[in-house]
Amino acid sequence: MTSPASARLFGRGSWTEASRVASVLRKETVGGVLLLTGAAIALIWANSPWAESYEALRDTRVGPAALHLDLTLGTWAADGLLAIFFFVAGLELKREFVAGDLRDPRRAALPIAAAVGGMAVPALFFVLLNLGGPEGALRGWAIPSATDIAFALAVLAVISTHLPSALRTFLLTLAVVDDLLAIVVIAVFYTAQLVVPALLLSLVPLAIFGFLVQKRIRSWWLLLPLAAATWVLMHESGVHATVAGVLLAFTVPVVRSAAAGGPDAGPGLAEHFEHRIRPLSAGVAVPVFAFFSAGVAVGGLSGLGESLGDSIAIGIMVGLVAGKAIGITGATWLIARFTRAQLDENLGWADVVGLALLGGMGFTVSLLITELAYGAESESYEHAKIGILFGTLLAAVLAGVILRLRNRRYKQMYAAESRDVDRDGIPDAWDTVDDRAEHEREGATPPGHTFGGTPRGDEDDAPPPAYETVDDEADHDPDWEGAPPPGRGVTDAAGTGEAPPAPYETVDDEADHDPDWEGTPPPGRPARPFADG
């Protein structure tokens, strides 16, 4: 017995959501390539003869000391630029749950459960492998719990897989929920000292920002200073400043109010902000952060071997690869088990495992948690970064192998989802009615429609061109003397039209009407006995 469509796991969502996700992922894919480029440059530079210049650049301090903002460039990238990244993630998550497909609890359950499983199991593996490790090693338990969507999409672009829209949507939603859970973990577990007055003061510009955006005020010269003030006060409070980005995003309205014309009047302010800021996040903020964070000195083969043998690095690698695969796949299986839902008929559990391994690419947020857990100057910090890089690389290779093996099926699904026979801009997988007649007044009646949108059964009301295909000018022009128009017989000289039109009368039955007929029987008629005239 098959499950209804609503009980399908990884079923195709709405076309509006699928097209929006496709647009988002195209930008994130470009950002992923830039991220890989920034990380590669940092690694090469940090292990070159000019490594000291890289460290000098990363540790250069800029900013007003009076506000405790004389921070290194590396810290500005981690605290400042990543606030932009989390602002976009907050907008995306709010939109998904307010106006996207995830407003349906049944569809939201899967990515939320998968994100929780994908964070809990890697953390558990890390703790088990570091129970007897160096002092303070357990502070990094959250490092392998993050998913980097930009990195995952860059891998998809490299292996050139045609991942179906449902899996892409799931991957994006999983990563966004994962990032938001990670920011909660950072705020709760990695706040060393809380300054309550600064935290309370940060709520003032946050509230004013929220009031203005609710009134659809988009003036940057008003909103940007308020956002900056919220970030500064949050930084002063001891809570990681990136939390400010999420809180600011949650104040932005997703759907237009009735005063602004309602939902049908156009996209809400959240979508407007996301469209404007996502290129800055994916193209600048994340790649620059990767450049300043990924530059770890390996120390040759001996140093690499020492780092990979450290329990912290092992815990991170096992968490990112095995932990993510087991956590995400296991959570998906539990959802299927207890809701009696089934995978989409075109997918199998191998697809879920491949997608779960993509979730093991925890680069950006993992590096951020590493710095918070161990500090930028510790040996554990260097070992952890090597564990992140190698764990992410191993997860990418394994995911690429599995997804490439399934790529033939993905190509078929992609082709089916891309087919648009009626060329109305909506693929046939979402629009099953061929409505070419509403865009194009020529041709046969398409399936499901008559011309002009007249339903079947009401053909008499349909516009004439759909049913009148004969040129009958000769029937209306009494002075017609030309050749018979196409599809018409020749009328008499007077133009009375006594000759039957050829399309409707194909048998010559003159012998039936002329009592003096003495010729041979016309084609298709038997000879008539004259005696019975």
Side-chain angles (χ1 to χ4, degrees):
M1 180 177 180
T2 59
S3 300
S6 60
R8 293 282 182 187
L9 298 179
F10 304 107
R12 189 182 295 119
S14 66
W15 165 242
T16 302
E17 193 68 9
S19 59
R20 188 188 68 83
V21 168
S23 175
V24 168
L25 295 185
R26 279 193 293 270
K27 297 175 184 177
E28 290 290 352
T29 300
V30 175
V33 174
L34 294 176
L35 182 152
L36 291 175
T37 303
I41 293 174
L43 276 172
I44 295 171
W45 193 351
N47 290 277
S48 72
W50 306 279
E52 291 184 0
S53 61
Y54 171 80
E55 295 176 0
L57 176 64
R58 182 187 61 193
D59 297 335
T60 300
R61 288 186 172 272
V62 294
L67 297 176
H68 304 124
L69 293 178
D70 53 335
L71 309 175
T72 65
L73 291 179
T75 304
W76 275 112
D79 292 9
L81 292 180
L82 281 194
I84 300 173
F85 166 79
F86 280 109
F87 179 76
V88 174
L91 292 174
E92 173 67 27
L93 186 68
K94 184 177 181 181
R95 191 197 179 285
E96 285 281 354
F97 282 96
V98 173
D101 286 351
L102 297 189
R103 65 184 183 275
D104 180 356
R106 293 172 299 179
R107 296 187 68 89
L110 178 58
I112 292 177
V116 172
M119 293 187 71
V121 177
L124 177 61
F125 280 9
F126 181 91
V127 170
L128 291 176
L129 290 168
N130 283 276
L131 285 175
E135 183 179 356
L138 291 179
R139 282 187 54 82
W141 63 270
I143 295 173
S145 62
T147 295
D148 194 320
I149 184 62
F151 211 130
L153 294 175
V155 171
L156 286 178
V158 170
I159 64 178
S160 189
T161 184
H162 297 74
L163 204 65
S165 63
L167 295 184
R168 289 178 180 269
T169 301
F170 172 78
L171 181 61
L172 175 64
T173 308
L174 168 69
V176 171
V177 175
D178 191 296
D179 288 337
L180 268 296
L181 292 177
I183 205 67
V184 172
V185 168
I186 289 172
V188 174
F189 295 99
Y190 292 98
T191 298
Q193 184 179 2
L194 183 62
V195 181
V196 177
L199 181 62
L200 294 177
L201 283 175
S202 70
L203 300 179
V204 175
L206 176 66
I208 299 174
F209 181 94
F211 174 78
L212 293 177
V213 294
Q214 290 293 330
K215 296 297 183 180
R216 293 191 62 81
I217 295 176
R218 299 184 292 181
S219 302
W220 66 267
W221 54 272
L222 281 175
L223 298 181
L224 195 57
L226 290 170
T230 304
W231 181 89
V232 170
L233 290 169
M234 190 69 67
H235 182 272
E236 288 295 300
S237 73
V239 178
H240 199 267
T242 52
V243 175
V246 177
L247 296 178
L248 289 166
F250 283 171
T251 66
V252 181
V254 172
V255 181
R256 286 176 179 258
S257 63
D264 296 332
L269 201 57
E271 187 173 347
H272 171 77
F273 282 167
E274 183 183 347
H275 177 73
R276 291 293 183 88
I277 301 175
R278 185 178 290 278
L280 176 63
S281 171
V284 178
V286 174
V288 171
F289 168 76
F291 170 77
F292 283 114
S293 297
V296 54
V298 175
L301 292 178
S302 61
L304 180 61
E306 180 183 352
S307 296
L308 293 177
D310 184 75
S311 62
I312 292 176
I314 294 174
I316 292 173
M317 290 187 290
V318 172
L320 288 175
V321 180
K324 282 288 186 179
I326 294 173
I328 295 174
T329 306
T332 304
W333 182 85
L334 289 174
I335 290 288
R337 173 69 177 79
F338 289 105
T339 63
R340 297 184 178 181
Q342 297 180 5
L343 290 178
D344 186 88
E345 58 187 5
N346 294 312
L347 300 173
W349 286 104
D351 303 297
V352 181
V353 174
L355 208 64
L357 285 168
L358 277 179
M361 278 165 275
F363 193 76
T364 304
V365 180
S366 292
L367 290 172
L368 174 61
I369 296 176
T370 299
E371 183 175 339
L372 296 176
Y374 299 125
E377 304 299 328
S378 68
E379 187 178 75
S380 296
Y381 177 65
E382 301 297 326
H383 292 168
K385 287 207 291 187
I386 290 178
I388 292 170
L389 295 175
F390 276 84
T392 298
L393 179 61
L394 182 57
V397 171
L398 293 176
V401 170
I402 293 176
L403 296 179
R404 283 293 296 176
L405 290 175
R406 300 284 293 169
N407 203 32
R408 178 176 297 179
R409 170 61 62 88
Y410 295 157
K411 283 184 178 180
Q412 295 173 353
M413 298 176 66
Y414 181 81
E417 291 180 348
S418 303
R419 188 177 300 114
D420 185 13
V421 174
D422 54 5
R423 298 181 181 179
D424 63 351
I426 303 177
D428 302 333
W430 286 272
D431 181 17
T432 57
V433 175
D434 184 351
D435 56 355
R436 277 174 291 182
E438 297 181 6
H439 311 283
E440 188 176 324
R441 301 293 297 180
E442 299 177 0
T445 306
H449 273 287
T450 59
F451 279 97
T454 306
R456 287 193 177 278
D458 297 329
E459 286 87 350
D460 293 338
D461 297 330
Y467 303 95
E468 186 66 59
T469 59
V470 176
D471 182 357
D472 56 355
E473 183 180 352
D475 291 349
H476 303 285
D477 186 355
D479 299 323
W480 178 267
E481 296 180 357
R488 291 306 226 181
V490 183
T491 57
D492 64 341
T496 58
E498 292 179 358
Y504 305 97
E505 186 69 53
T506 58
V507 176
D508 185 355
D509 56 355
E510 184 177 354
D512 292 346
H513 305 285
D514 187 351
D516 299 325
W517 176 266
E518 295 182 358
T520 58
R525 299 299 246 177
R528 184 163 50 82
F530 291 99
D532 296 335

